[in-house]
Amino acid sequence: MKDDDVSQECKNLISSLPTSDKDYTGKKLYNYQGSWFYPNTIQAILNFQKHFRARDSDIILASLPKSGTTWLKALVFAVVHRNKYAPNLVSHPLLSDNPHNLELPSPRIFATHVPFQKLPESLIDSPCKVVYVCRNIKDVLDMINEYIKGAYFCGPIEEQVLSYWKESLVNSNLVLFMRYEEMIEKPVAQVMRLADFLGCSFSEEEKQSSNLEANKIGTSTCGIAHHAFFRKGGVGDWKNHLTDEMARKINEMVEKKLEGSGLKFD
């Protein structure tokens, strides 16, 4: 969706919102409910909030960009559909297609970067499942900067993370809070935990990898090259890109924002 495709309702809303200076592409961002978005993203959020009708079996994957969403989507698809493809693994869709193209069939798997409060009420009030993957803030900032060069941002990082963290504490049946670093360190245990939350527990190890040829070529249904969803995926790579002073300032900012929440980053 282009910025000039927004509805009149959205234009009226945008005219009342605080705006930023132009980014490096010459575009402005607007502050909607505490987060900064381009006009087309605000339109998408309005459409999502107004028209999305959750099904009881839906699975919503939430994260900041470059936090392991594509990997998580592959894991979720493999877990919930494992019985369907177990008899003939050579025909498994993940061997030939990118996880972002595999939202259907039911259970539907959707991915979003919006804070918990911006999810549609039909979703929050339903029995569907929300899985949030959290990653070290410094690694996220490093990845976002490299991937989009500051052209896009999903709002205050701490507020976005905290919205799902707090909800997971009061409503563990709805929201599962996962850490990228724990998924790297103990993948089997975390996949088991994921399967238990989704109501499809299993005891047999099931290997899954995102380093497939299908993810290196072609484009997704939204026109983004498959390879753009992946990077090295290492833990602590921020050390190769951020100075000690930058890391110190980020740590101070994050500690202040997370104070009293019980959530900590290594």
Side-chain angles (χ1 to χ4, degrees), residues 35 44 70 75 77 116 120 134 161 170 187 201 213-214 249:
S35 301
T70 304
L75 290 175
F77 185 90
F116 182 81
C134 172
V161 175
V170 300
S201 303
E213 191 62 29
K249 289 183 177 180

Side-chain angles (χ1 to χ4, degrees), residues 140-150 231-232 237 241:
V140 172
L141 287 173
D142 166 38
M143 302 253 180
I144 291 178
N145 180 64
E146 178 172 324
Y147 180 51
I148 52 183
K149 307 302 180 185
R231 196 171 176 265
K232 289 184 296 183
D237 190 50
H241 303 274

Side-chain angles (χ1 to χ4, degrees), residues 66 135-144 180-181 231 234-239 242:
K66 316 310 291 181
R135 191 172 189 175
N136 185 294
I137 295 296
K138 292 189 290 294
D139 276 331
V140 172
L141 287 173
D142 166 38
M143 302 253 180
I144 291 178
Y180 180 89
E181 291 76 16
R231 196 171 176 265
V235 174
D237 190 50
W238 61 266
K239 297 176 183 177
L242 302 179

Side-chain angles (χ1 to χ4, degrees), residues 91-150:
S91 64
H92 200 290
L94 285 171
L95 294 173
S96 58
D97 210 343
N98 181 276
H100 289 288
N101 294 340
L102 303 176
E103 294 180 352
L104 304 173
S106 184
R108 302 184 302 180
I109 304 172
F110 299 109
T112 182
H113 297 312
V114 302
F116 182 81
Q117 296 88 341
K118 291 184 176 63
L119 296 178
E121 290 185 7
S122 69
L123 189 159
I124 296 174
D125 294 336
S126 76
C128 69
K129 300 293 185 179
V130 178
V131 182
Y132 186 83
V133 58
C134 172
R135 191 172 189 175
N136 185 294
I137 295 296
K138 292 189 290 294
D139 276 331
V140 172
L141 287 173
D142 166 38
M143 302 253 180
I144 291 178
N145 180 64
E146 178 172 324
Y147 180 51
I148 52 183
K149 307 302 180 185

Side-chain angles (χ1 to χ4, degrees), residues 64-75:
L64 285 167
K66 316 310 291 181
S67 296
T69 316
T70 304
W71 179 29
L72 179 61
K73 203 167 195 179
L75 290 175

